[in-house]
Amino acid sequence: MSLFARIREDIDSVLERDPAARSRLEVFLCYPGLWAVWIHRVSHQLWRRRIRLLARLLSQVGRFFTGVDIHPGALLGRRLFIDHATGVVIGETAIVGSDVTLYQGVTLGGTGKGHGKRHPTVCDRVFVGNNANLLGNITIGENSRVGAGSVVLSDVPPNSTVVGVPAHIVYRNGERVLITDPHDIKDPLSDALIALAARVDELEERQGAHELRLEPFAAEEAEREAYHMELERRQYVSMGEGI
Ligand SMILES: CC(C)(COP(=O)(O)OP(=O)(O)OC[C@H]1O[C@@H](n2cnc3c(N)ncnc32)[C@H](O)[C@@H]1OP(=O)(O)O)[C@@H](O)C(=O)NCCC(=O)NCCS
């Protein structure tokens, strides 16, 4: 595919995805997210040819003009759309599939631990909302969506929507996923919830046993009550009859 055909394909994909985009010329001139991708294509070629310092230098020039910091080693698929651009960071070992959309402030970063493949793999047609952080060597499955502001620390299955800090699934294959088990949320509060749920179970069990024990007495009590009422009634009647 020629250079111009690739550029035209990128521009058309923005026109498809951004309702604010009006013409090819506008997209060409006003979308720094696209410029960042184009600059990365050159810096990535330099990186592959082992002209690494120049590659990094070029990526920093790109960052200066676009606000997008893409490491030249990152592998980007076709038609990547970085909307609003500012503050996006894509790490060295990140892999981004085709037709991916990233909003401003998204980080495809490492966790700070380890070497080797330490950045996310984002599969085709993934949508990542603004300021989401995808951290570590995780995989975001095809067609998945990551909510704005989410922090994703583990793999996301295909066709899912995840939100929150840390992120949890709210939709999978078009169906709403409701969390009924606190083990499904991996944040510090979930430990407290798990302990609380165990305590409630225990109390319910105890209460059940207690009610079982009370049952014979309850029946006896009701009988005694009825007996007293009957006694009272008879006393009253007999007294009345006696006068
Ligand atoms: C993730 C997203 C795509 C989900 O959209 P959706 O399919 O319409 O989801 P819903 O609105 O049905 O939300 C499902 C649940 O997730 C919650 N939720 C949605 N987005 C969330 C987010 N970013 N953070 C935390 N919770 C979120 C909703 O409150 C709802 O929870 P509830 O049922 O307990 O009330 C969307 O909310 C989002 O974040 N889009 C990003 C938009 C963006 O970045 N825009 C930038 C413009 S410049």
Side-chain angles (χ1 to χ4, degrees):
M1 200 178 205
S2 77
L3 178 69
F4 288 110
R6 281 296 284 276
I7 289 177
R8 199 185 166 104
E9 180 186 74
D10 291 331
I11 291 176
D12 286 347
S13 83
V14 172
L15 280 169
E16 267 166 38
R17 277 181 267 179
D18 185 2
R22 280 175 190 77
S23 68
R24 284 201 179 110
L25 185 63
E26 183 189 313
V27 173
F28 182 76
L29 293 175
C30 306
Y31 281 71
L34 274 189
W35 309 340
V37 170
W38 294 334
I39 292 167
H40 173 266
R41 280 188 195 140
V42 180
S43 70
H44 183 64
Q45 287 310 319
L46 293 172
W47 186 261
R48 286 182 52 180
R49 285 174 173 74
R50 303 201 155 267
I51 312 172
R52 301 221 152 146
L53 183 59
L54 194 58
R56 293 228 59 184
L57 209 61
L58 183 59
S59 84
Q60 288 311 300
V61 171
R63 189 180 84 124
F64 181 79
F65 284 109
T66 66
V68 178
D69 188 349
I70 310 177
H71 192 284
L75 288 174
L76 305 186
R78 286 168 65 173
R79 299 176 295 277
L80 168 63
F81 176 30
I82 305 175
D83 202 0
H84 302 292
T86 314
V88 169
V89 176
I90 301 179
E92 180 187 355
T93 61
I95 300 175
V96 178
S98 297
D99 300 299
V100 168
T101 305
L102 309 177
Y103 274 93
Q104 71 273 16
V106 167
T107 298
L108 308 183
T111 54
K113 301 176 265 182
H115 298 273
K117 173 84 170 94
R118 60 194 184 282
H119 299 105
T121 297
V122 177
C123 296
D124 296 347
R125 295 173 299 282
V126 165
F127 167 99
V128 187
N130 60 285
N131 295 306
N133 291 298
L134 284 52
L135 303 178
N137 183 15
I138 56 174
T139 300
I140 314 299
E142 290 89 4
N143 306 312
S144 285
R145 299 183 304 163
V146 178
S150 304
V151 177
V152 188
L153 300 169
S154 50
D155 291 347
V156 173
N159 310 309
S160 308
T161 301
V162 295
V163 299
V165 181
H168 60 274
I169 298 180
V170 286
Y171 287 101
R172 188 156 185 196
N173 298 321
E175 292 196 359
R176 187 78 164 87
V177 176
L178 288 178
I179 292 180
T180 50
D181 182 347
H183 288 92
D184 291 344
I185 315 174
K186 295 178 192 73
D187 71 1
L189 256 188
S190 69
D191 292 339
L193 283 174
I194 290 164
L196 194 65
R199 183 80 180 127
V200 168
D201 282 350
E202 188 198 324
L203 288 174
E204 274 179 356
E205 234 167 68
R206 275 210 235 162
Q207 162 109 356
H210 188 59
E211 272 167 10
L212 276 179
R213 275 205 305 278
L214 280 183
E215 224 167 75
F217 296 111
E220 210 173 77
E221 186 67 26
E223 229 170 71
R224 194 164 35 231
E225 187 92 348
Y227 172 74
H228 281 297
M229 278 168 69
E230 185 61 16
L231 265 187
E232 263 175 40
R233 192 177 68 81
R234 287 194 183 188
Q235 211 174 357
Y236 175 76
V237 169
S238 65
M239 274 170 71
E241 274 170 0
I243 290 169

